[in-house]
Amino acid sequence: MITGNKGEWSEVYTLLKIISDKQLFAGDSNLNKIETLIFPIIKVLRDETNGTFEFSYDNDLVIVKNGEKEIRISVLEFQKQAYFLLTKLKEKTNATFSIPEIESFINSFDSHSLKAKSTVKSDIRIVIHDQRTNTNPELGFSIKSQLGGASTLLNAGKTTNFIFKINNLTLTKNQILEINEIDTRSKIKDRIGKITELGGKLEFQKTESSVFGNNLILIDSALPKIIAESLHLFFTSTISTVLELTSKISITNPLGYNLEANHPFYSYKIKRFLTDIALGMMPSKVWTGELDATGGYLVVKEDGEVLCYHIYNRNEFEDYLFTNTKLETASSTRHEFGKIYEENGQIYFKLNLQIRFK
């Protein structure tokens, strides 16, 4: 029997839902359907360990192919199964669970897996018809579901630590120990508060990982500093959304840009950063700027609607990422940040970057 969590079952739901819809709906930055941007589906492809499944249409029938095998199932049946699965996903409260009725249905066309093959970069590939260009491109997607917990865009690690020098302050070993032992609910914020109270100022030095730092510089040479400023603001205020942090920094203008003509320096650069993370940039690996096969996201909303965001419609994709992400505090012990430490007679403090969908 197949068991999985809500995120994993959402992959099967997405497959059933888009096949039964016969079209993809593009979404805007607020997760609303863009009524004028609809893509008819020609074919859906899903790579599993036992081969590639191809779903195409013959009027009201879905033709399912896997190698030499071919089976025909009504679109109505896919619709019925998608609705049933959505109802079950809304009911379930366990971390993992099985849904025998859905397992039985996908088994009927030889599918035995909730997730796409782990070696492929896209969860699902879809051949659409683009009425504007009269072409049929194949688009790769990652599936992001709101039915379970919010997923991360950028996972925390020691590689996502930013190192700050503490200026204007000399501390004794006891004072350092005292600050590092602050163990309140918002301990990082309170430790920085204490440093500031004693007259200290945090000045960004570099990223802990030179690979991540260089990845950021490749996207935009000002990014390390901009993200460091956003992080500092996040850990010293009540603001957490990427949109609000960027808006605030656009006003304070820490990089001293010429804002006479209202160029969107900060939001433009942050959007590029988010898009590159979404399309394959990882902090621990050298980023060449080459996008992987997954060109976008299919987002499963809480009401079961599926919206598509793709690099194919770059503006909508960037706006979705920019509007729907926030910074959050990861484990400071696991990722080794949030404490004062000394090196060559100078004191430092690390802050960590983790980005999650709202």
Side-chain angles (χ1 to χ4, degrees):
M1 191 171 281
I2 302 173
T3 59
N5 59 33
K6 283 192 178 183
E8 289 163 341
W9 278 106
S10 291
E11 284 200 29
V12 176
Y13 170 74
T14 305
L15 179 74
L16 304 180
K17 172 73 173 153
I18 61 174
I19 289 169
S20 66
D21 284 345
K22 294 174 86 170
Q23 53 191 1
L24 268 188
F25 299 93
D28 67 12
S29 60
N30 297 312
L31 287 165
N32 296 313
K33 198 187 288 183
I34 301 173
E35 299 291 351
T36 53
L37 208 51
I38 297 169
F39 302 108
I41 294 171
I42 292 168
K43 195 187 289 183
V44 177
L45 301 153
R46 189 171 189 256
D47 299 298
E48 291 187 21
T49 43
N50 62 329
T52 297
F53 287 83
E54 181 185 295
F55 304 85
S56 56
Y57 300 99
D58 180 5
N59 297 315
D60 291 332
L61 292 174
V62 178
I63 305 161
V64 187
K65 282 185 188 169
N66 179 19
E68 297 299 305
K69 279 190 175 180
E70 184 177 306
I71 182 171
R72 289 167 180 253
I73 303 167
S74 74
V75 172
L76 210 60
E77 188 57 33
F78 274 87
Q79 201 173 8
K80 196 174 90 180
Q81 296 291 339
Y83 180 76
F84 177 80
L85 178 49
L86 179 63
T87 310
K88 288 289 175 193
L89 288 177
K90 285 180 175 177
E91 287 170 6
K92 298 287 182 184
T93 52
N94 321 26
T96 59
F97 46 87
S98 58
I99 306 175
E101 299 89 344
I102 298 297
E103 185 176 347
S104 171
F105 176 64
I106 65 171
N107 287 171
S108 72
F109 51 82
D110 241 11
S111 169
H112 301 277
S113 174
L114 295 188
K115 292 173 71 64
K117 200 162 130 188
S118 58
T119 51
V120 296
K121 290 181 176 174
S122 306
D123 292 328
I124 204 163
R125 291 174 288 136
I126 304 169
V127 179
I128 60 157
H129 177 66
D130 185 347
Q131 283 134 327
R132 297 170 302 181
T133 57
N134 204 28
T135 55
N136 298 336
E138 182 184 299
L139 311 182
F141 293 95
S142 263
I143 294 165
K144 300 285 176 189
S145 175
Q146 294 191 327
L147 296 170
S151 50
T152 51
L153 176 65
L154 180 74
N155 288 313
K158 280 175 71 176
T159 48
T160 63
N161 282 338
F162 284 65
I163 300 170
F164 293 78
K165 186 164 78 172
I166 302 172
N167 291 328
N168 309 340
L169 191 60
T170 308
L171 295 172
T172 65
K173 282 194 163 41
N174 276 345
Q175 283 177 306
I176 291 173
L177 198 64
E178 200 178 293
I179 293 170
N180 286 345
E181 282 179 348
I182 292 173
D183 197 21
T184 51
R185 189 174 166 82
S186 52
K187 59 187 178 190
I188 313 293
K189 192 173 283 188
D190 294 339
R191 287 171 193 171
I192 298 171
K194 190 66 183 170
I195 292 165
T196 310
E197 192 185 301
L198 294 168
K201 280 192 171 176
L202 266 59
E203 182 195 344
F204 173 62
Q205 289 298 287
K206 60 176 183 176
T207 54
E208 182 164 347
S209 158
S210 60
V211 170
F212 185 41
N214 285 330
N215 285 350
L216 297 179
I217 291 165
L218 180 73
I219 299 166
D220 191 291
S221 58
L223 261 179
K225 175 87 169 134
I226 291 172
I227 294 166
E229 292 288 342
S230 303
L231 261 182
H232 186 263
L233 181 59
F234 166 66
F235 279 106
T236 54
S237 71
T238 55
I239 306 170
S240 64
T241 68
V242 170
L243 176 64
E244 285 178 296
L245 289 166
T246 310
S247 300
K248 183 83 173 167
I249 281 171
S250 301
I251 296 163
T252 56
N253 190 19
L255 275 83
Y257 290 126
N258 179 339
L259 300 176
E260 282 172 22
N262 293 321
H263 280 84
F265 292 106
Y266 295 94
S267 59
Y268 179 87
K269 293 170 194 294
I270 289 290
K271 282 180 183 180
R272 288 294 175 277
F273 166 61
L274 297 173
T275 305
D276 275 13
I277 298 170
L279 299 178
M281 192 272 272
M282 293 165 81
S284 57
K285 292 182 182 170
V286 173
W287 175 238
T288 60
E290 195 176 310
L291 309 180
D292 71 20
T294 305
Y297 288 163
L298 288 178
V299 179
V300 184
K301 289 172 64 178
E302 285 176 341
D303 63 359
E305 187 173 36
V306 177
L307 296 177
C308 104
Y309 293 90
H310 203 276
I311 197 69
Y312 197 69
N313 299 298
R314 187 166 189 127
N315 290 344
E316 286 86 3
F317 188 53
E318 286 182 352
D319 287 344
Y320 160 71
L321 294 171
F322 188 60
T323 313
N324 289 283
T325 49
K326 62 175 186 174
L327 300 198
E328 68 170 14
T329 311
S331 164
S332 57
T333 45
R334 192 184 314 147
H335 306 305
E336 298 175 23
F337 70 95
K339 283 188 172 182
I340 299 173
Y341 67 98
E342 203 173 344
E343 216 168 73
N344 302 326
Q346 175 64 53
I347 49 174
Y348 297 93
F349 198 85
K350 291 178 192 174
L351 295 177
N352 179 270
L353 178 68
Q354 176 157 294
I355 307 172
R356 188 177 288 279
F357 285 97
K358 294 195 297 195

